[in-house]
């Protein structure tokens, strides 16, 4: 029997990695110990900046020079890894360890067909040309792509997010590695696609006899797939153990806070106040592309009807492509509609133009998903917030005073006014985006996936901020999300969309307790955390 037969698939001992001088702490990770036995899934859990991805980079031999490994040892199947960035890693990556990243589309070459990219992996590792296509096709079938031949011939941009992630997983497993590292591979996916990818990884782990190191900030994912869990905070492992023990009997306060943030919060129960401020009746939108023989039509919103009452929050829930964001564009009057009617405060705004449209847009504001891309890096915070009032005719001095008051209201200090976006965390940037939207004192706020890019505990903070500001300022809100935890936590009513249509709507508590439509039930059943009761 060889030494590798007796050894863990992965053994990390006393791993310490330094950060550059001037960083917010001395080390990216300190004294980390990890062990993964054959067939196990270990979840490395923590918020952004906790050191999770740095550990993965170290295992892959990909640490940059600015992050030196100052102590510790990493071994795969009993054999110590070479020094970081050594050429010997070319023989390890693929046959012994492979990695799947969060953004599948960015992991693929946009100008090469999928089949060629996968065959290149085999070519680099010396697989004869005569065998490559068959092995690639077998793997495309193994990751449950509905049409492997079409996938083989496709370019990455022709695939959905879930399909692209299946392709990346196929590439990682082509050489049957002993360890698969999955770094947040489902974070950017909607709930049903996320469930499919998690089930796929579990299936392939057994089929290919592969162990898994799964990096995540989502305790729901942990509940569904983990055998063991290591919880990270500020580069230190604060808790570890079997998944049931950590989920059911957490010992560290930080773990308890993360679990509390992951739990499904009670729905709001705000009574409707008189006539709806926003009424939508039979609204339809079709995207048209091309000319003559190449013309295509894609129905995005189909006969949607909804009411939004003063001070209430309506959550719009559905998968990617369900029409949620297209509906938001219609409500903001950024897209001309094909049919139906939109009434705002008793006035038909369906075909509003000119000064009247400009006045309407000051009353209906939006917070977008990406707080990093939403702010101009050249603008200081105070200028970014004051820009809207100035555009709408408020004198500059008054606009800046409003901006300072709003900064305080969203929980940032006056010192933040003169800083640039790149000097803030994601959660702080989203607070700035919320301040920028609310400084115009809108009557309706549309939040389009406004917390999906944030860690779970930061999500809770931002959701609490929305609720607090809504209670203080009295605006109504349309909250678009694919995350059922979020919908339950913040909304009074829920509207469920599929293929552009509303399949179900009603009070949040009623929808979650007794969903009538099969699609709504499927969404609820797909939410991470079902196995351990993190989702009701």
């Amino acid at each position: 029997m060889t030494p590798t037969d007796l050894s863990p698939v992965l053994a990390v001992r006393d791993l310490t990695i330094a950060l550059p001088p001037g960083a917010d702490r001395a080390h990216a990770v300190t004294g980390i110990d990890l062990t993964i036995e054959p067939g196990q899934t270990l979840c490395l859990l923590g918020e952004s900046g906790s050191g999770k991805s740095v550990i993965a980079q170290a295992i892959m031999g990909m640490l940059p020079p600015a992050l030196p490994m100052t102590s510790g040892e990493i071994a795969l199947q009993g054999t110590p890894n070479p020094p970081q960035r050594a050429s010997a890693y070319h023989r390890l990556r693929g046959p012994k360890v492979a990695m799947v990243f969060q953004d599948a589309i960015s992991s693929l070459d946009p100008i090469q067909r999928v089949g060629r990219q996968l065959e290149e992996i085999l070519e680099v590792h010396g697989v004869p040309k005569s065998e490559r296509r068959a092995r690639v096709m077998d793997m495309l079938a193994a990751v449950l792509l509905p049409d492997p031949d079409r996938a083989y011939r496709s370019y990455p941009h022709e695939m959905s997010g879930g399909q692209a992630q299946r392709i990346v997983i196929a590439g990682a497993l082509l050489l049957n590695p002993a360890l698969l590292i999955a770094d947040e591979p489902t974070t950017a996916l909607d709930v049903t696609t996320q469930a499919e990818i998690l089930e796929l990884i579990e299936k392939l782990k057994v089929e290919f006899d592969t162990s898994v190191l799964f990096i995540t900030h989502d305790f729901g994912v942990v509940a569904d797939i983990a055998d063991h869990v290591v919880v990270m905070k500020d580069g230190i492992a604060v808790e570890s153990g079997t998944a049931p023990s950590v989920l059911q009997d957490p010992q560290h306060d930080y773990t308890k806070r993360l679990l509390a943030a992951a739990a499904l919060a009670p729905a709001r129960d705000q009574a409707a106040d008189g006539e709806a401020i926003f009424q939508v009746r039979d609204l339809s939108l079709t995207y048209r592309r091309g000319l003559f023989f190449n013309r295509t039509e894609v129905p995005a919103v189909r006969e949607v009807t909804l009411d939004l009452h003063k001070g209430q929050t309506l959550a719009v829930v559905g998968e990617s492509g369900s029409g949620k964001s297209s509906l938001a564009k219609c409500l903001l009057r950024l897209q001309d509609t094909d049919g139906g009617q939109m009434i705002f405060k008793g006035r038909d705004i369906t075909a509003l133009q000119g000064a009247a449209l400009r006045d309407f847009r000051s009353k209906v504001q939006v917070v977008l998903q990406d707080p990093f891309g939403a702010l101009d890096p050249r603008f200081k915070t105070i200028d970014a917030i004051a820009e809207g009032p100035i555009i709408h005719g408020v004198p500059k001095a008054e606009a800046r005073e409003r901006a300072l008051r709003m900064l305080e209201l969203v929980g940032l200090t006056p010192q933040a006014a003169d800083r640039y976006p790149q000097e803030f965390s994601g959660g702080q940037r989203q607070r700035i985006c919320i301040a920028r939207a609310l400084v115009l004192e809108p009557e309706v706020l549309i939040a389009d996936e406004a917390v999906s890019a944030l860690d779970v505990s930061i999500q809770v903070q931002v959701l609490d901020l929305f609720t607090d500001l809504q209670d203080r300022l009295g605006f109504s809100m349309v909250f678009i999300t694919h995350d059922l935890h979020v919908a339950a936590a913040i909304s009074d009513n829920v509207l469920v969309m599929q293929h552009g249509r509303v399949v179900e709507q009603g009070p949040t508590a009623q929808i979650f307790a007794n969903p009538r439509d099969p699609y709504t039930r499927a969404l609820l059943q797909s939410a991470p955390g079902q196995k351990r009761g993190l989702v009701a």
Side-chain angles (χ1 to χ4, degrees):
M1 185 176 288
T2 64
T4 56
D5 293 326
L6 301 172
S7 303
V9 171
L10 174 71
V12 177
R13 298 290 176 262
D14 194 32
L15 178 65
T16 299
I17 298 169
L19 284 170
D24 60 353
R25 61 179 190 259
H27 296 97
V29 296
T30 304
I32 298 299
D33 293 323
L34 303 175
T35 301
I36 302 179
E37 300 292 345
Q40 282 189 339
T41 296
L42 184 146
C43 275
L44 198 56
L45 183 137
E47 298 173 282
S48 297
S50 62
K52 308 184 304 291
S53 295
V54 173
I55 293 172
Q57 286 180 297
I59 296 167
M60 295 290 293
M62 296 167 57
L63 282 177
L67 301 178
M69 180 174 155
T70 56
S71 71
E73 183 181 80
I74 301 170
L76 290 165
Q77 294 182 307
T79 303
N81 282 13
Q84 292 293 312
R85 303 179 304 283
S87 60
Y89 273 101
H90 294 309
R91 295 191 297 274
L92 298 181
R93 298 183 194 124
K96 277 204 169 186
V97 58
M99 192 162 177
V100 175
F101 296 94
Q102 177 176 342
D103 188 349
I105 293 293
S106 297
S107 301
L108 297 168
D109 187 337
I111 62 173
Q112 281 202 73
R113 295 183 192 272
V114 162
R116 174 60 194 139
Q117 294 187 55
L118 296 182
E119 284 191 23
E120 189 175 23
I121 296 169
L122 298 175
E123 181 182 354
V124 167
H125 287 275
V127 176
K129 186 175 182 179
S130 59
E131 299 178 18
R132 293 174 202 158
R133 182 183 172 97
R135 285 182 60 169
V136 167
M137 293 300 292
D138 286 346
M139 186 56 71
L140 292 176
V143 298
L144 305 181
L145 282 161
D147 188 346
D149 187 63
R150 180 179 176 276
Y152 181 93
R153 293 181 281 105
S154 296
Y155 289 97
H157 71 270
E158 298 176 299
M159 319 202 78
S160 68
Q163 290 172 330
Q165 196 60 282
R166 289 172 188 268
I167 294 295
V168 172
I169 292 170
L173 293 177
L174 265 175
L175 294 159
N176 199 16
L179 177 66
L180 177 68
I181 301 175
D183 190 355
E184 301 273 14
T186 62
T187 298
L189 306 176
D190 59 55
V191 64
T192 52
T193 307
Q194 184 180 55
E196 291 171 1
I197 294 298
L198 293 176
E199 288 175 9
L200 176 66
I201 291 174
E202 284 288 276
K203 165 189 171 290
L204 296 173
K205 182 181 81 167
V206 175
E207 187 174 329
F208 289 89
D209 192 24
T210 297
S211 301
V212 178
L213 174 61
F214 200 104
I215 295 170
T216 183
H217 65 258
D218 188 338
F219 254 119
V221 171
V222 172
D224 281 352
I225 68 166
D227 298 307
H228 286 75
V229 185
V230 174
V231 182
M232 300 282 300
K233 183 180 188 297
D234 298 333
I236 297 169
V238 297
E239 185 158 359
S240 64
T242 65
S245 67
V246 173
L247 290 167
Q248 296 168 14
D249 188 25
Q251 300 301 304
H252 198 278
D253 287 344
Y254 178 69
T255 312
K256 293 175 183 177
R257 289 202 303 273
L258 288 181
L259 274 167
L264 190 63
R268 286 158 52 93
D269 188 19
Q270 177 85 15
D273 182 14
E275 188 177 2
I277 188 173
F278 222 134
Q279 297 172 298
V280 175
R281 297 292 179 265
D282 299 321
L283 193 69
S284 295
L285 168 67
T286 299
Y287 292 121
R288 296 175 174 84
R289 300 183 180 89
L291 298 170
F292 305 112
F293 299 110
N294 293 325
R295 189 171 181 81
T296 59
E297 293 190 353
V298 180
V301 178
R302 305 182 184 191
E303 299 177 343
V304 168
T305 293
L306 64 86
D307 287 329
L308 178 67
H309 289 266
K310 182 175 176 60
Q312 286 201 324
T313 295
L314 171 69
V316 181
V317 176
E319 300 171 279
S320 298
S322 62
K324 307 186 302 294
S325 293
S326 294
L327 174 62
K329 289 178 183 178
C330 295
L331 298 179
L332 288 161
R333 279 301 325 277
L334 298 175
Q335 192 79 47
D336 289 331
T337 56
D338 299 324
Q341 189 179 39
M342 293 185 290
I343 306 293
F344 178 71
K345 297 180 66 177
R347 182 180 188 183
D348 190 337
I349 55 97
T350 314
L352 216 56
Q353 299 292 333
L357 177 59
R358 180 172 171 152
D359 179 64
F360 163 76
R361 285 181 175 156
S362 72
K363 295 179 173 61
V364 180
Q365 288 291 298
V366 64
V367 178
L368 299 173
Q369 175 177 357
D370 181 9
F372 295 91
L375 297 169
D376 190 326
R378 301 168 298 178
F379 275 35
K380 290 183 178 180
T381 300
I382 190 167
D383 297 319
I385 298 173
E387 183 182 24
I390 291 171
I391 288 173
H392 285 276
V394 175
K396 186 175 181 179
E398 182 184 339
R400 290 174 72 87
E401 285 179 16
R402 280 198 202 177
L404 286 171
R405 289 199 301 271
M406 190 55 64
L407 262 182
E408 184 179 357
L409 204 57
V410 299
L412 293 173
T413 63
Q415 289 75 21
D418 290 319
R419 294 164 61 190
Y420 291 93
Q422 53 269 32
E423 299 176 66
F424 295 95
S425 68
Q428 289 171 323
R429 291 190 201 201
Q430 198 62 295
R431 288 173 183 268
I432 294 169
C433 292
I434 294 168
R436 187 175 60 172
L438 294 181
V439 73
L440 282 164
E441 300 175 356
E443 296 180 61
V444 174
L445 182 68
I446 297 177
D448 191 355
E449 298 281 10
V451 298
S452 63
L454 306 175
D455 289 325
V456 63
S457 61
I458 307 300
Q459 282 187 4
V460 171
Q461 293 174 21
V462 174
L463 292 176
D464 287 345
L465 175 63
F466 273 124
T467 301
D468 177 58
L469 292 173
Q470 189 176 32
D471 290 342
R472 291 195 202 190
L473 304 178
F475 57 85
S476 306
M477 185 158 55
V478 177
F479 203 100
I480 294 169
T481 181
H482 66 259
D483 190 326
L484 297 168
H485 294 82
V486 170
I490 198 167
S491 65
D492 304 291
N493 295 283
V494 174
L495 181 150
V496 184
M497 292 189 70
Q498 182 187 31
H499 305 317
R501 295 189 185 279
V502 176
V503 299
E504 187 163 2
Q505 62 178 310
T508 302
Q510 174 186 309
I511 295 292
F512 276 76
N514 186 30
R516 299 188 310 275
D517 191 86
Y519 177 69
T520 309
R521 292 197 292 270
L523 286 180
L524 288 167
Q525 290 163 5
S526 298
Q530 289 284 346
K531 290 182 182 178
R532 317 278 183 174
L534 287 180
V535 177

